[in-house]
Amino acid sequence: MTTPVIGVLALQGDVREHLIALAAADAVARPVRRPEELAEIDALVIPGGESTTISKLAVLFGVMEPLRERLRAGMPVYGTCAGLIMLADKILDPRSGQETFGGIDMIVRRNAFGRQNESFEAAVALKGVDGDPVEGVFIRAPWVESVGAEVEVLAEHDGHIVAVRQGNALATSFHPELTGDHRVHALFVDMVRDNA
Ligand code: GLN
């Protein structure tokens, strides 16, 4: 495959940091917010931010259904934090009207590790990333309450699931895009290359 083109869903959240991390991991990265733009990418990152806002804007920009369709067709996707929530088939505690794209057979709990001022960093051993553990930045982070049989658990913190993969979908409760360590993005770019 030539260099993969990876979109970053640019409705809300830390889009810029993902664009930088993807470029560092040898992908062509570009922001995506319109349905037409979805057709031009090999894979997508859904950033951290606020999942209730991303949900609302996805409907408003008309990308909710087209994106679900591409995910069902197997487009590789990586979600961090709010992005992980957006990939869950079910939210335990959704805001009223809050929808997800789905794609990973899991139930997530929003703000599970506490409020903004209880945000923290912790070393996380992540399956698929060799060497030192990654620095997990958890900001009002969700955890994964339970997973279906097709889901592989890649990492836990304090007994809670914080990273998963199902087929071409990868998700972490934490934010590798904020650390300058691009190994998790490199793992995703490898997934995208393998898929091609
Ligand atoms: N708590 C946020 C939500 O529910 C996620 C926070 C984040 O992405 N850092 O969407």
Side-chain angles (χ1 to χ4, degrees), residues 48-52 80-82 85 110-111 139-142 175:
E50 177 50 52
S51 57
T52 54
T80 62
C81 201
I85 296 170
R110 297 179 53 227
N111 306 324
I139 304 170
R140 280 191 308 129
H175 293 271

Side-chain angles (χ1 to χ4, degrees), residues 75-107:
M75 176 178 69
V77 66
Y78 173 32
T80 62
C81 201
L84 170 140
I85 296 170
M86 292 303 299
L87 289 174
D89 283 348
K90 192 168 188 295
I91 304 176
L92 199 66
D93 48 352
R95 196 77 82 68
S96 91
Q98 179 174 10
E99 290 182 59
T100 68
F101 302 122
I104 300 181
D105 181 11
M106 62 179 174
I107 301 174

Side-chain angles (χ1 to χ4, degrees), residues 141-180:
W143 70 48
V144 180
E145 197 75 28
S146 63
V147 295
E150 303 297 304
V151 179
E152 186 188 1
V153 172
L154 301 181
E156 295 189 11
H157 176 73
D158 266 354
H160 300 291
I161 299 169
V162 294
V164 293
R165 177 174 178 178
Q166 179 177 1
N168 276 332
L170 175 71
T172 60
S173 295
F174 49 91
H175 293 271
E177 73 279 13
L178 300 180
T179 62

